[in-house]
Amino acid sequence: MLLGWKHAGIITYAGYILGFPADTPQSIREDIEIHQARACRFDILEFFCLTPLPGSEDHKTLWNKGVWMDPDMNKYDLEHVTTVHAKMSPENGTRSIARPGRPTTRPSTS
């Protein structure tokens, strides 16, 4: 289906969430490399931090477990790391994608 949209001249877009429990800097880099190597790549791939939004079940679960969450509600925008991760520091998670030579968009080939 994705290739059909691309052949029709439709720009393809996807969101990629960072910070699931099994994620590591290496696994994120590998996922991006797989995406970049495929012929059916998305035209735009946007990255978001897994964020326990206040009022969500994830937020409630972390709160009940006493897990640290950033007290600054302005950071709960899907772009900031707002809680701890068992396998990554906040810097490691964002550094996994913000490296020169790792474009997340590509020019149209149509």
Side-chain angles (χ1 to χ4, degrees):
M1 184 162 66
L2 180 63
L3 288 176
W5 290 341
K6 292 173 85 52
H7 292 303
I10 298 169
I11 294 173
T12 56
Y13 169 90
Y16 185 97
I17 300 172
L18 306 169
F20 285 103
D23 283 348
T24 65
Q26 181 63 30
S27 71
I28 291 169
R29 282 190 299 273
E30 289 170 359
D31 289 347
I32 293 168
E33 288 169 4
I34 289 169
H35 161 75
Q36 290 177 330
R38 292 182 184 222
C40 63
R41 298 187 301 189
F42 293 98
D43 292 301
I44 300 169
L45 180 60
E46 190 168 11
F47 297 90
F48 303 98
C49 295
L50 183 64
T51 304
L53 295 172
S56 70
E57 189 64 30
D58 289 338
H59 189 274
K60 180 181 175 183
T61 299
L62 293 173
W63 178 266
N64 288 337
K65 289 181 178 180
V67 174
W68 178 87
M69 291 180 282
D70 198 311
D72 184 351
M73 292 292 124
N74 292 309
K75 293 183 181 176
Y76 285 75
D77 59 4
L78 309 179
E79 294 182 17
H80 291 88
V81 176
T82 56
T83 190
V84 296
H85 190 279
K87 298 180 181 180
M88 292 188 293
S89 69
E91 299 79 25
N92 281 345
T94 55
R95 194 178 311 129
S96 297
I97 60 164
R99 291 177 31 205
R102 300 273 185 205
T104 56
T105 61
R106 66 185 175 93
S108 176
T109 57
S110 41

